[in-house]
């Protein structure tokens, strides 16, 4: 039996029948399709979506980069068990997605990109928006997606579509391989009809694997852990994506091992758990970082060890050993670690079984971790309690943290707030903290908040966005309003770039280009609150911490998207220090000698971490 459909109609029908399954729970893999239409996809995917009776709802975005951020955030909120498809026209519509694709791949999040492409027949070339390459007529701007995609294909004939769709789904649903997947669709091919086998459109269930570790590796790992006197767990995003947080809690409690968190892993243990020591690294807590410096064994669970996590490889002792539980061998091998290649939940469970009668770390080590955490908690309490006009950023974060309560999700991505959030935010559990810090892409925040709310409509979503990021992608407020998706957006205006301003000053760049002002230093007559109102959002202004708390209560109770506008001081640095370092080079000439000398002194504390995890 066959069904005659266009290529685009076949794509839509296929996507609507893809399901994921893990732990006997099934869900639709594609929650919908988001896009912007132009001449490269309107007659193909546009027509197919408009006439489809399948369960694949379409959502109009206002920016192509933003739609990919929305899809990636949706995938993260769904623990990579579901995502959105994204369609664009050819040319700039397609290339606008590249930044979002890079972010998705870096963060190991599945997104499906369906950019329109030039005519496969070439009879009308060069067409509008076509980039001509004298080396080959087979090259288009969509070739730019190759380095940021985990799978890439171009459909020049209808017969190529089934194998490409199946390959795309294989990558999207493989937790060790996932990321952005690009299938470029020439505009003439999208509209071409073909007789498709009916079985292509049958419900297809993709079973998300939970790979178990090699038995010999488990034995080696158990011996390594039992030989450690001061082990420390570093929980990364893979801990949450694999639903391993309950297993992590049992593992930590049974053996008394403190747990630190990366940006993606924050919330793996809820705030207040006796073994949760908070964020680690350049934006970490003094508690986690002190334990990291003393630890003789680091147990990385689902982390890729970014330079912020390792404080540019200065936070761990030079002779520390590493045990890495990761679903990818690529990440498990980092820092000369002993590799336990496995799903995080399965890896922790089998490791615990291999301990035999081991009773865990000494009680005084647990008490030291608790004492360090209490000291940090006091510092956070003080930062949250700060008052002032304008309000300090730490107090803004504290007010939002309180308003979020147990069912809230904070979303952020770039500027000084991600660092402060990592240190200060008190998560209620997995899924309550959503900061994109793998790519730290300005403009992610509102678009990402949309994806989180679409994937988890039962949760209150609080978007923290600085003025710099807001000005890059504010238009997604229109998407939220038109789709009836409620967000609470806290727009923090400090008239510039606080994070890069502080960094610029520290490396001798004199804060060049980090303030929003006239060239003579006078403030610009820009009213971001009025801008948000012009886009259709309800807007509240807060000039004090008390007014902010009241506005947050109002916004939380509202049914529609609300923007809370609050000014802060760009020059202030009110969050407590992490007492860690991040490697950004200082010019060898033209800067004060003390700056370069301090940089070179910090460089001496970097360690290659070449110590074998086991010997003999």
């Amino acid at each position: 039996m066959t069904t005659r459909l266009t290529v685009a109609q076949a794509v839509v029908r296929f996507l609507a029948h893809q399901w994921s399954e893990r732990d006997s729970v099934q869900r639709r893999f594609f929650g919908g399709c988001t896009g912007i239409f132009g001449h490269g996809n309107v007659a193909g995917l546009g027509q197919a979506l408009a006439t489809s009776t399948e369960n694949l709802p379409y959502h109009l975005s206002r920016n192509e980069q933003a739609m990919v951020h929305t899809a990636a955030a949706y995938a993260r909120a769904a623990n990579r068990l579901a995502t959105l498809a994204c369609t664009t026209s050819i040319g700039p519509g397609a290339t606008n997605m590249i930044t979002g694709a890079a972010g998705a791949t870096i963060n190991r999040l599945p997104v499906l990109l369906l950019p329109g492409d030039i005519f496969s027949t070439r009879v009308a070339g060069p067409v509008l928006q076509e980039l001509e390459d004298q080396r080959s007529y087979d090259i288009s701007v969509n070739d730019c997606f190759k380095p940021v995609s985990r799978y890439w294909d171009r459909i020049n004939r209808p017969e190529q579509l089934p194998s490409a769709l199946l390959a795309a789904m294989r990558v999207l649903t493989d937790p060790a391989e996932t990321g952005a997947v690009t299938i470029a669709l020439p505009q003439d091919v999208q509209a071409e009809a073909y007789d498709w086998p009916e079985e292509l459109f049958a419900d297809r269930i993709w079973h998300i694997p939970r790979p178990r570790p090699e038995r010999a590796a488990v034995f080696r790992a158990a011996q390594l852990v039992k030989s450690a006197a001061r082990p420390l767990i570093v929980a990364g995003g893979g801990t949450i994506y694999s639903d391993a947080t309950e297993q992590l809690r049992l593992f930590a409690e049974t053996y008394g091992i403190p747990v630190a968190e990366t940006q993606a892993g924050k919330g793996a243990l809820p705030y207040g758990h006796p073994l949760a020591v908070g964020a680690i690294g350049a934006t970490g807590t003094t508690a986690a970082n002190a334990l990291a410096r003393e630890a003789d064994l680091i147990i990385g669970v689902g982390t890729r060890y970014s330079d912020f996590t390792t404080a540019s490889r200065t936070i761990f002792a030079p002779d520390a050993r590493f045990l890495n539980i990761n679903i990818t061998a690529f990440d498990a091998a980092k820092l000369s670690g002993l590799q336990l290649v496995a799903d995080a939940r399965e890896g922790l469970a089998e490791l615990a079984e291999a301990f035999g009668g081991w009773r865990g770390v000494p009680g005084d080590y647990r008490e030291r971790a608790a004492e360090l955490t209490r000291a940090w908690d006091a510092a956070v309490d003080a930062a949250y309690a700060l008052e002032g006009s304008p309000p300090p950023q730490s107090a803004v974060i504290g007010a939002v943290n309180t308003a979020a309560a147990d069912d809230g999700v904070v979303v952020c991505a770039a500027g000084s707030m991600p660092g402060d959030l990592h240190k200060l935010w008190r998560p209620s559990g997995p899924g309550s903290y959503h900061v994109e810090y793998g790519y730290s892409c300005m403009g992610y925040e509102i678009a990402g908040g949309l994806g989180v709310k679409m994937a988890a409509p039962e949760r209150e979503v609080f978007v923290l966005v600085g003025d710099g990021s807001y000005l890059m992608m504010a238009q997604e407020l229109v998407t939220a309003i038109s789709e009836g998706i409620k967000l609470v957006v806290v727009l923090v205006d400090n008239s510039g770039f606080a994070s890069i301003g502080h960094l610029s000053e520290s490396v001798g760049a004199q804060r060049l280009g980090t303030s929003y002002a006239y060239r003579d230093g006078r403030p610009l007559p820009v009213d971001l609150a009025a801008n948000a109102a012009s886009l259709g959002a309800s807007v509240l202004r807060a000039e004090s911490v008390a007014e902010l708390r009241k506005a947050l209560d109002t916004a939380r109770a509202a049914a529609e998207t609300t923007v809370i506008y609050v000014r802060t001081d760009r020059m202030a640095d009110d969050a407590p220090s992490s007492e860690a370092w991040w490697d950004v080079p200082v010019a060898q000439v033209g800067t004060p000698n003390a700056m370069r000398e301090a940089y070179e002194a910090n460089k001496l504390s970097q360690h290659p971490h070449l110590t074998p995890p086991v010997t003999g």
Side-chain angles (χ1 to χ4, degrees):
M1 293 286 292
T2 61
T3 299
R4 191 162 181 81
L5 299 170
T6 68
V7 166
Q9 291 163 0
V11 169
V12 169
R13 187 170 177 187
F14 176 88
L15 297 184
H17 289 270
Q18 305 309 298
W19 297 73
S20 68
E21 179 275 326
R22 188 172 67 182
D23 302 331
S24 301
V25 177
Q26 295 181 12
R27 63 182 299 171
R28 289 187 180 277
F29 190 73
F30 292 101
C33 178
T34 184
I36 298 175
F37 295 121
H39 69 282
N41 65 340
V42 66
L45 282 168
Q47 188 276 341
L49 287 162
T51 59
S52 173
T53 59
E54 302 288 351
N55 190 355
L56 190 72
Y58 169 75
H59 306 279
L60 170 62
S61 292
R62 271 66 187 176
N63 178 280
E64 293 90 354
Q65 177 183 324
M67 72 171 72
V68 186
H69 292 328
T70 297
Y74 186 104
R76 177 172 170 180
N79 284 345
R80 304 193 296 199
L81 299 174
T83 189
L84 303 173
C86 304
T87 176
T88 71
S89 183
I90 73 171
T95 54
N96 279 352
M97 291 200 295
I98 292 173
T99 296
T105 295
I106 285 170
N107 287 296
R108 278 65 160 177
L109 294 170
V111 297
L112 177 61
L113 311 180
L114 302 170
D117 212 328
I118 57 178
F119 282 81
S120 65
T121 59
R122 305 177 186 170
V123 296
V127 298
L128 178 65
Q129 299 178 332
E130 177 178 350
L131 172 70
E132 292 185 276
D133 192 310
Q134 60 187 354
R135 294 168 297 177
S136 171
Y137 283 120
D138 193 44
I139 294 174
S140 80
V141 295
N142 287 337
D143 289 82
C144 295
F145 284 95
K146 289 180 178 178
V148 296
S149 299
R150 296 295 291 170
Y151 175 82
W152 183 98
D153 209 342
R154 176 181 283 123
I155 308 303
N156 288 309
R157 293 296 310 140
E159 295 91 332
Q160 297 170 341
L161 183 65
S163 61
L165 289 173
L166 293 174
M169 288 303 303
R170 173 188 61 80
V171 174
L172 289 168
T173 58
D174 184 342
E177 293 292 328
T178 198
V181 166
T182 301
I183 299 180
L185 297 169
Q187 52 184 311
D188 54 341
V189 176
Q190 287 186 49
E192 187 173 345
Y194 185 74
D195 293 320
W196 306 95
E198 274 289 343
E199 55 264 35
L200 177 64
F201 308 117
D203 282 350
R204 195 176 301 266
I205 300 171
W206 298 85
H207 302 278
I208 310 299
R210 286 196 180 278
R212 299 175 65 179
E214 179 194 17
R215 186 178 299 275
V218 173
F219 175 79
R220 291 190 295 268
Q223 299 308 305
L224 180 60
V225 175
K226 290 193 290 185
S227 70
R230 299 176 305 280
L232 175 68
I233 295 171
V234 175
T239 312
I240 295 174
Y241 298 150
S242 65
D243 282 324
T245 55
E246 179 62 16
Q247 190 64 51
L248 174 70
R249 182 190 64 79
L250 290 171
F251 187 92
E253 289 176 355
T254 302
Y255 305 109
I257 304 176
V259 177
E261 304 163 316
T262 70
Q263 280 278 15
K266 192 168 178 69
L269 284 187
Y271 168 73
H273 189 282
L275 290 166
V277 296
I280 191 169
T283 53
T285 71
T286 52
N289 287 346
L291 292 171
R293 292 184 181 98
E294 301 167 7
D296 54 358
L297 175 66
I298 306 300
I299 305 172
V301 184
T303 177
R304 63 189 187 94
Y305 288 114
S306 76
D307 64 338
F308 263 73
T309 297
T310 68
S312 299
R313 298 200 180 191
T314 63
I315 204 70
F316 303 123
D319 59 349
R321 295 174 296 172
F322 293 82
L323 164 62
N324 299 324
I325 304 172
N326 205 292
I327 204 162
T328 71
F330 176 78
D331 288 324
K334 289 179 178 175
L335 303 178
S336 302
L338 179 62
Q339 302 175 53
L340 202 63
V341 180
D343 170 80
R345 195 181 77 179
E346 296 299 314
L348 286 169
E350 295 207 17
L351 183 58
E353 289 179 4
F355 283 154
W358 186 55
R359 301 183 63 180
V361 301
D364 57 350
Y365 179 58
R366 307 183 197 196
E367 179 50 39
R368 171 157 171 72
E371 180 182 348
L372 289 167
T373 302
R374 287 193 292 270
W376 177 257
D377 275 346
V380 175
D381 286 340
Y384 275 5
L386 290 173
E387 299 283 347
S389 182
Q393 182 164 284
S394 62
V396 171
I397 291 172
V400 177
N401 204 165
T402 299
D406 289 341
D407 66 335
V409 184
V410 65
V411 180
C412 192
S416 59
M417 277 189 290
D420 288 352
L421 284 164
H422 194 210
K423 288 188 284 187
L424 303 177
W425 190 266
R426 291 165 166 171
S428 60
S432 64
Y433 182 88
H434 186 116
V435 173
E436 190 284 292
Y437 218 57
Y439 210 36
S440 187
C441 186
M442 295 180 73
Y444 176 94
E445 293 88 344
I446 297 173
L450 283 171
V452 174
K453 187 66 173 180
M454 291 167 69
E458 72 282 0
R459 305 196 76 154
E460 289 289 337
V461 176
F462 294 81
V463 175
L464 270 168
V465 59
D467 50 341
S469 279
Y470 176 84
L471 284 169
M472 288 192 176
M473 217 162 283
Q475 72 283 340
E476 292 312 299
L477 280 175
V478 180
T479 304
I481 292 157
S482 67
E483 295 283 340
I485 299 172
K486 182 210 169 176
L487 303 176
V488 177
V489 179
V490 181
L491 171 52
V492 180
D493 185 355
N494 56 27
S495 298
F497 304 134
S499 176
I500 296 303
H502 289 302
L503 181 62
S504 174
E505 193 170 48
S506 73
V507 298
Q510 303 172 1
R511 291 184 177 264
L512 176 66
T514 61
S515 66
Y516 288 160
Y518 288 110
R519 297 191 71 85
D520 62 6
R522 289 178 296 129
L524 292 171
V526 175
D527 189 337
L528 297 183
N531 173 263
S534 76
L535 297 177
S538 297
V539 176
L540 304 171
R541 295 175 185 257
E543 296 184 3
S544 67
V545 177
E547 290 182 5
L548 174 61
R549 292 193 186 103
K550 182 178 179 181
L552 285 163
D553 289 342
T554 300
R556 185 179 172 108
E560 69 281 346
T561 288
T562 303
V563 173
I564 302 172
Y565 175 83
V566 58
R567 291 196 61 84
T568 59
D569 183 359
R570 185 177 72 257
M571 306 300 287
D573 190 8
D574 44 75
S577 172
S578 65
E579 298 181 4
W581 182 67
W582 184 43
D583 190 349
V584 177
V586 175
Q588 286 189 294
V589 295
T591 55
N593 289 338
M595 285 185 179
R596 181 67 193 187
E597 289 169 0
Y599 175 71
E600 291 175 350
N602 280 314
K603 290 288 286 184
L604 294 175
S605 63
Q606 286 183 306
H607 312 302
H609 295 301
L610 301 177
T611 304
V614 293
T615 58

